[in-house]
Amino acid sequence: ELQEKCRQEVQQILKDSDSEEVCYEHLSQFLYLTQFIKESMRLSATVPFIGRTITTPTVIDGYTLPSGTMVTIPILALHRNPDVWDDPERFDPERFTPEQSAKRHPFAFIPFSAGPRNCIGQVLAMDELKTSIATTLLRFELNVLPGSDLNPAMTCEMVSRSLGNLPILVNEI
């Protein structure tokens, strides 16, 4: 199970460091956990779309977009593009191994936007995610409640979120 694989990685890194708590020094060592988080963000983008105004005439697929044109980049669609992602609806953290990532265009995965207007807090956000998830995995096992829908209805406003409760069963380890 993927959750157990993440948990074992965290436990091994903490064991090797003789620490009981997740520290900043551990974060760069959480390789599989990072892949897991990135795959989660690919399928459930926090920000479902971004908008930009073109500052110079730009040609896309033979069409010229004039300066001043407002464009929307649908991150949810980009992250599920079958031309980029094999079986795009399947959850597979292995997509984010260094070898697999090197094969993709750098803008195929943009959970924090990209370019000069990307999120200035993306490193902090990833560090917080790794710390929170690693700490949770050390203490709890998370499961979807039996009989619950694995695909809750989502809203895609400025920020994506579930429209209802997430039916998660939390068990102390």
Side-chain angles (χ1 to χ4, degrees), residues 1-171:
E1 181 177 291
L2 302 176
Q3 180 178 183
E4 187 57 32
K5 188 170 181 179
C6 290
R7 180 179 292 109
Q8 288 174 0
E9 178 185 60
V10 171
Q11 289 170 333
Q12 185 61 50
I13 289 167
L14 292 182
K15 178 182 164 198
D16 290 348
S17 72
D18 295 324
S19 175
E20 294 181 15
E21 298 294 323
V22 175
C23 301
Y24 179 76
E25 294 76 28
H26 299 135
L27 301 180
S28 64
Q29 299 174 55
F30 294 146
L31 303 180
Y32 189 78
L33 180 61
T34 301
Q35 291 171 210
F36 184 92
I37 292 168
K38 287 181 176 182
E39 179 67 349
S40 297
M41 290 191 302
R42 183 185 72 81
L43 288 173
S44 300
T46 304
V47 177
F49 56 87
I50 53 176
R52 296 290 185 264
T53 302
I54 295 176
T55 57
T56 59
T58 304
V59 178
I60 299 176
D61 286 338
Y63 296 96
T64 301
L65 302 176
S67 176
T69 301
M70 293 183 68
V71 296
T72 299
I73 300 165
I75 294 176
L76 284 173
L78 178 69
H79 287 177
R80 293 170 186 245
N81 181 349
D83 293 336
V84 176
W85 309 97
D86 292 333
D87 196 5
E89 298 298 322
R90 181 174 48 93
F91 187 88
D92 180 11
E94 298 297 324
R95 298 177 200 274
F96 289 95
T97 62
E99 299 79 24
Q100 291 299 316
S101 294
K103 295 177 186 177
R104 274 192 307 276
H105 189 282
F107 293 153
F109 176 66
I110 55 170
F112 297 104
S113 187
R117 293 193 54 206
N118 69 347
C119 175
I120 62 171
Q122 65 183 316
V123 173
L124 175 62
M126 282 298 292
D127 286 350
E128 287 182 338
L129 280 167
K130 289 186 230 180
T131 302
S132 299
I133 294 170
T135 301
T136 300
L137 289 173
L138 289 171
R139 295 175 175 90
F140 303 100
E141 180 179 57
L142 308 174
N143 292 295
V144 175
L145 284 172
S148 297
D149 184 7
L150 292 174
N151 296 303
M154 301 292 287
T155 179
C156 291
E157 296 167 351
M158 201 58 145
V159 176
S160 298
R161 63 181 176 82
S162 170
L163 286 174
N165 295 328
L166 296 176
I168 297 174
L169 183 62
V170 180
N171 292 314

